[in-house]
Amino acid sequence: MEAYRNLPKHRKANSRSRATTRERILHAAVERFARASYEQTGLRDIAADAGVDVAYVHRSFGSKERLFAEAVRAAVQPIDILPGAKDIGTLLATHVIDKPAKNPHGLDIIIRSFSSPEAAPVVREFIVNTFVEPLSRQLNHPAETRATLIGALLIGIAILREVLHSPGLTQPNPDDLKRLITRTIDELMQTTAGETTSRS
Amino acid sequence: MEAYRNLPKHRKANSRSRATTRERILHAAVERFARASYEQTGLRDIAADAGVDVAYVHRSFGSKERLFAEAVRAAVQPIDILPGAKDIGTLLATHVIDKPAKNPHGLDIIIRSFSSPEAAPVVREFIVNTFVEPLSRQLNHPAETRATLIGALLIGIAILREVLHSPGLTQPNPDDLKRLITRTIDELMQTTAGETTSRS
DNA sequence: CCAGAAAGTCAACGACTGTTGACTTTGCGT
DNA sequence: ACGCAAAGTCAACAGTCGTTGACTTTCTGG
């Protein structure tokens, strides 16, 4: 595509800008990967956004796959699940509903590119390391399964809301939506295998 | 002129096979789209599987996008949610956990290609028409939202289990897993803002 | 039997992709 | 001031993609 950010000549009159340029490329990559899948995103798009040549993008990061991995690492800061927090459900529900409005990255990169053979390992590793594993420590028995199910819910919500724009998740009042999600997460966290704890 | 003995495979010696060939192509398309994303799947792959030329695949369906739409329509039979069913949670949990083992299609096509701009409308339309809308009729107040959230959970589970192979969803006993999912869906269906409206 | 439509093939176009070798420009150390 | 390495560019390769025009083969209706 054409990006009109193209200052033709010396953008920085002064000294060594390697780190700066790298950051600019990385930032452009994050932005692109958050809005389109791994395959749909071309290195030339990223290069244009960053105001450099394609070749330099490739040379700076070694390969598209490595650039993607760095973009994931840079974009998605692990959700800080405090060891003692008791309103995890609210925290996560807020995160998935409010966050994407503020800054478009985060979950977006993950949900758009998990299907790429090259990107999937990166995505999977990230999910496990920064979400499932920390969250598992707060849960009881099938802890990893519970944590993964909660992750599944959040990912599904993000997809239907951010990518497919399903009216069922875009139209309702955000607070009502968050309340419903919170309740579901709490249920997923607290219920034990044999009995129903929320029984009345 | 007998130099061209090269007709390698006349698979069907006999008569008009247009419908049959179309079905073979469609079947191959379903199979491919279920295992890789819209972008990753090439018409040449599908053509090879079906034993025809690429050009004929394209000509038979008009475009890749239309072939994809037909594949979705052909692969995913709407989950039959009986108007009076009361164990919908179990039905859906069983569907998402057991089905993929039996035949690999169904949800797979949807979850791999929702990110493609060309495929997304097809995917979204399908989800709404064959899942959210019928299911909504069984639920109370924020019916569409509840149905969409259930859809989100199922899609997320399918992704983490079938595509990313997250251990939290592949290792545990399927029955335990289904029980956990069923409970979550039921919660999502029945809970109201204030209390539980579970009626017999 | 024979015309003609349908079924199917072949080769190619044009655009796009990630990647690479060779090149030029820039900045710093001495 | 000079040299040299780093920063960055340029053009091209080799491959893939969906798509199309022109062709041949196969079948069927009159």
Side-chain angles (χ1 to χ4, degrees):
Chain A
M1 314 300 187
E2 69 276 21
Y4 260 57
R5 307 200 48 73
N6 207 357
L7 300 191
K9 294 293 200 261
H10 42 35
R11 48 185 63 262
K12 313 180 99 36
N14 53 3
S15 68
R16 50 177 294 94
S17 55
R18 178 189 182 185
T20 302
T21 304
R22 242 189 91 99
E23 283 171 18
R24 224 170 49 242
I25 295 173
L26 196 56
H27 179 265
V30 167
E31 209 78 15
R32 286 280 181 178
F33 283 132
R35 286 175 170 75
S37 76
Y38 181 83
E39 282 97 357
Q40 291 160 10
T41 303
L43 292 187
R44 282 168 178 83
D45 301 328
I46 297 172
D49 290 353
V52 296
D53 192 88
V54 206
Y56 193 61
V57 172
H58 185 268
R59 281 209 149 76
S60 299
F61 290 87
S63 71
K64 186 186 184 182
E65 187 176 351
R66 273 206 281 269
L67 171 58
F68 178 80
E70 291 246 25
V72 170
R73 211 164 296 132
V76 214
Q77 70 281 27
I79 305 172
D80 32 72
I81 300 171
L82 314 175
K86 54 179 182 288
D87 53 352
I88 298 182
T90 305
L91 176 72
L92 296 179
T94 302
H95 191 269
V96 76
I97 295 301
D98 287 345
K99 253 300 180 53
K102 296 175 188 172
N103 71 334
H105 340 114
L107 258 182
D108 299 355
I109 296 191
I110 287 178
I111 64 181
R112 292 211 125 99
S113 296
F114 66 85
S115 182
S116 297
E118 296 145 299
V122 177
V123 169
R124 180 169 169 276
E125 184 197 0
F126 168 80
I127 292 178
V128 171
N129 288 350
T130 76
F131 184 85
V132 173
E133 206 242 336
L135 181 56
S136 291
R137 277 198 275 269
Q138 313 287 328
L139 307 178
N140 42 18
H141 170 26
E144 190 176 4
T145 298
R146 289 172 193 274
T148 309
L149 282 175
I150 292 173
L153 179 64
L154 297 179
I155 288 175
I157 290 171
I159 289 173
L160 260 52
R161 190 173 142 96
E162 306 300 324
V163 180
L164 296 180
H165 304 103
S166 300
L169 295 185
T170 55
Q171 288 175 356
N173 181 328
D175 287 333
D176 295 344
L177 194 50
K178 278 186 272 186
R179 215 168 297 134
L180 211 48
I181 296 170
T182 300
R183 222 183 311 269
T184 306
I185 295 175
D186 288 345
E187 221 276 339
L188 220 25
M189 287 173 56
Q190 293 164 4
T191 309
T192 44
E195 52 178 342
T196 319
T197 56
S198 63
R199 194 69 106 112
S200 58
Chain B
M1 315 320 166
E2 56 86 24
Y4 284 170
R5 202 142 190 62
N6 203 3
L7 293 198
K9 59 235 171 198
H10 31 307
R11 46 183 68 261
K12 19 108 188 84
N14 52 3
S15 68
R16 52 177 293 92
S17 55
R18 177 189 180 183
T20 302
T21 304
R22 242 189 91 98
E23 282 171 18
R24 224 171 50 243
I25 295 173
L26 196 56
H27 179 265
V30 168
E31 209 78 16
R32 286 280 180 179
F33 283 132
R35 287 175 169 73
S37 77
Y38 181 82
E39 282 96 359
Q40 291 159 10
T41 303
L43 292 187
R44 282 167 177 84
D45 302 329
I46 297 172
D49 290 353
V52 295
D53 193 86
V54 204
Y56 193 61
V57 173
H58 185 267
R59 283 211 145 77
S60 299
F61 290 87
S63 72
K64 185 186 185 183
E65 188 175 350
R66 273 206 283 268
L67 171 57
F68 178 80
E70 291 245 23
V72 170
R73 211 163 295 130
V76 213
Q77 70 282 26
I79 305 173
D80 31 72
I81 300 171
L82 313 176
K86 54 178 179 291
D87 53 352
I88 298 182
T90 305
L91 175 73
L92 295 178
T94 303
H95 191 269
V96 76
I97 295 302
D98 288 344
K99 252 300 180 53
K102 296 176 188 171
N103 72 335
H105 341 113
L107 259 182
D108 297 355
I109 296 191
I110 287 178
I111 63 182
R112 296 217 185 237
S113 296
F114 68 84
S115 182
S116 297
E118 297 145 298
V122 178
V123 169
R124 179 168 169 275
E125 184 197 359
F126 169 80
I127 293 178
V128 171
N129 289 349
T130 76
F131 184 85
V132 172
E133 206 244 335
L135 182 57
S136 290
R137 276 197 275 269
Q138 313 286 328
L139 307 179
N140 42 19
H141 170 30
E144 189 175 6
T145 298
R146 289 172 192 274
T148 309
L149 282 175
I150 292 173
L153 179 64
L154 298 179
I155 288 175
I157 290 171
I159 289 173
L160 261 53
R161 191 172 142 96
E162 306 299 325
V163 181
L164 296 180
H165 304 103
S166 301
L169 295 185
T170 55
Q171 288 175 356
N173 181 327
D175 286 333
D176 294 345
L177 194 50
K178 278 186 274 186
R179 214 167 299 132
L180 212 47
I181 296 170
T182 299
R183 224 185 308 270
T184 307
I185 295 176
D186 288 345
E187 220 276 338
L188 220 25
M189 287 172 57
Q190 293 165 4
T191 308
T192 44
E195 60 158 358
T196 314
T197 59
S198 61
R199 278 282 297 127
S200 55

